[in-house]
């Protein structure tokens, strides 16, 4: 059985819409094509482009909904943080030490001891 999931969008004030999740297969109600606020266009009769970021091909029409299959994903690849090399770690530690000193306490703060409560 084919699994369908929703396309997830985020609307950014003054910047438009981004596609957060683009599943391999999804269903869209026909009413979505008529919604003037839906950020989509159809460059061909069997293709729908959402937010100029993902391209779906229409594969079927079932009970008032179009079944779609992801064809292209134009979103930028997520940034991946690779582990630091030993050299990079040493450089970061050296810069931190240079900016923040040698780890010695500059101002010693003494906290007065409170002996018993006089209440």
């Amino acid at each position: 059985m084919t699994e369908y999931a929703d396309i997830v969008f985020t609307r950014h004030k003054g910047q438009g819409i981004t596609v957060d999740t683009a599943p391999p297969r999804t269903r869209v109600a026909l009413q979505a094509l008529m919604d003037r606020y839906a950020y989509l266009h159809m460059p061909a009769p069997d293709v729908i482009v959402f937010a100029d970021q993902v391209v779906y091909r229409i594969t079927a029409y079932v009970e008032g909904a179009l079944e779609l299959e992801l064809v292209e994903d134009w979103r930028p690849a997520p940034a991946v943080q690779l582990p630091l090399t030993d050299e990079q770690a040493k450089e970061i530690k050296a810069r931190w030490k240079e900016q923040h000193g040698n780890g010695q306490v500059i101002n010693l703060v003494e906290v007065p001891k409170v002996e018993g409560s006089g209440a």
Side-chain angles (χ1 to χ4, degrees), residues 10 29 80 105:
T10 299
V80 176
V105 177

Side-chain angles (χ1 to χ4, degrees), residues 12-24:
H12 304 275
K13 189 173 184 176
Q15 295 180 359
I17 294 173
T18 57
V19 177
D20 300 322
T21 304

Side-chain angles (χ1 to χ4, degrees), residues 28-119:
V28 175
L30 280 181
Q31 292 85 353
L33 301 178
M34 306 295 241
D35 185 351
R36 69 181 190 162
Y37 297 109
Y39 195 49
L40 60 87
H41 69 279
M42 295 182 69
D46 64 338
V47 175
I48 301 176
V49 179
F50 291 94
D52 293 331
Q53 296 172 31
V54 291
V55 180
Y56 280 87
R57 181 171 45 90
I58 300 170
T59 58
Y61 173 76
V62 178
E63 299 174 5
L66 297 173
E67 293 185 356
L68 308 175
E69 179 178 63
L70 184 63
V71 177
E72 294 181 54
D73 190 340
W74 299 332
R75 297 176 294 163
V80 176
Q81 176 64 46
L82 299 175
L84 295 175
T85 63
D86 290 339
E87 179 77 22
Q88 291 170 322
K90 285 178 186 177
E91 184 181 323
I92 290 170
K93 286 177 185 177
R95 275 188 293 162
W96 188 91
K97 201 170 196 178
E98 187 178 290
Q99 291 176 357
H100 301 287
N102 58 8
Q104 294 179 353
V105 177
I106 296 173
N107 296 322
L108 181 61
V109 177
E110 291 187 29
V111 179
K113 292 184 180 180
V114 178
E115 296 180 17
S117 61

